[in-house]
Amino acid sequence: EAKFMSNQIHISFLDRLILKAQQIFHIKFIRVIFCLMRYWLFTLTKKVQKFKGDDDNLIRFDNGENTLEYNFKKIKHSIFVHDRVLNLIRPLLSLEKVIRDKPFNKILSIGPRSESELFLLLAHGFRWKNIFALDLFSYTSKFDVGDMHEMPYKTNSFDIIISGWCLGYSDNFKLALQEKVRVIKDSGIIVIGHGYKPEKKNQRIPNQIEKILLPIKSNINQVFFKHDISDEMAKDGLRSVVVVFSVKKK
């Protein structure tokens, strides 16, 4: 409680107004129009950057298309369709620690494709200067270009990491998880969403939380939220699994 009061004291009146104003981006129409305008402006005035490093850890589709090409084509689509990340944000914001410290927490979004996901985080009370994004391409200065298997960040850089439906593009999900642990701070929180289409037979990555987290089991401090899919749910076409957990470092 003392820390909470201390944090509140250090939020200036102007910052409080800004945090209130940010809530307008809860309205999807405003969020979409704003992000679409920014997309058009940036793509007209800036050169789109693409990852040029080793992509051995990223999947290639049956038609020969790689992960970068597949997701790059979906930038504009993600501006309109990005609400699924709310399935990660909402359980995250059920944690008192996050509610208390979110104006001060550095948060990383992995693989958001467009800025829409970032403006959802903004709407929920995170500060723009503390929101970071990593993807294989960038049309905006808010995105760092890089590979989730070897992120361009120092160890212990972030308080929170959100990884929404990115592990499915990995050919080395153990390394992808270990890299998340590296860049998160001790006691930091990681949120992962994952899921295969029910008809997909060759699942390179398990669709059960316990099996997904097995490579970093020794680094898991506390699981706050876990949503698995039962066989009966899978028969109904449900596939998304979600987990929110804190990290401990040796």
Side-chain angles (χ1 to χ4, degrees), residues 109-142:
S109 170
I110 298 178
R113 293 179 180 165
S114 73
E115 288 185 324
S116 290
E117 185 170 310
L118 309 190
F119 277 91
L120 261 180
L121 292 171
L122 190 73
H124 283 86
F126 293 94
R127 282 175 167 169
W128 189 244
K129 67 178 183 179
N130 290 335
I131 299 173
F132 295 79
L134 178 76
D135 216 317
L136 294 169
F137 46 80
S138 171
Y139 65 88
T140 164
S141 60
K142 286 301 289 184

Side-chain angles (χ1 to χ4, degrees), residues 41-146:
L41 174 64
F42 293 150
T43 52
L44 286 174
T45 59
K46 298 177 182 291
K47 183 179 179 180
V48 175
Q49 298 179 353
K50 294 184 179 180
F51 179 68
K52 297 179 180 179
D54 184 358
D55 64 353
D56 288 348
N57 292 312
L58 300 169
I59 68 166
R60 187 172 291 274
F61 296 88
D62 293 338
N63 63 1
E65 193 174 42
N66 64 26
T67 296
L68 191 159
E69 294 165 346
Y70 175 81
N71 286 284
F72 184 75
K73 293 191 303 186
K74 293 183 174 289
I75 293 177
K76 283 187 283 188
H77 178 264
S78 73
I79 293 176
F80 293 92
V81 183
H82 54 271
D83 305 79
R84 183 168 61 167
V85 75
L86 287 170
N87 295 339
L88 309 184
I89 294 174
R90 286 167 175 159
L92 173 67
L93 291 178
S94 69
L95 305 181
E96 184 179 8
K97 175 184 177 182
V98 176
I99 295 173
R100 180 190 68 188
D101 296 336
K102 64 183 177 180
F104 308 93
N105 283 339
K106 290 179 66 176
I107 183 168
L108 172 66
S109 170
I110 298 178
R113 293 179 180 165
S114 73
E115 288 185 324
S116 290
E117 185 170 310
L118 309 190
F119 277 91
L120 261 180
L121 292 171
L122 190 73
H124 283 86
F126 293 94
R127 282 175 167 169
W128 189 244
K129 67 178 183 179
N130 290 335
I131 299 173
F132 295 79
L134 178 76
D135 216 317
L136 294 169
F137 46 80
S138 171
Y139 65 88
T140 164
S141 60
K142 286 301 289 184
F143 279 31
D144 296 309
V145 176

Side-chain angles (χ1 to χ4, degrees), residues 9-26:
I9 291 171
H10 285 90
I11 298 178
S12 69
F13 178 72
L14 177 59
D15 284 337
R16 289 172 187 264
L17 287 179
I18 292 172
L19 288 170
K20 285 290 185 182
Q22 289 174 189
Q23 295 179 15
I24 195 171
F25 291 110
H26 279 293

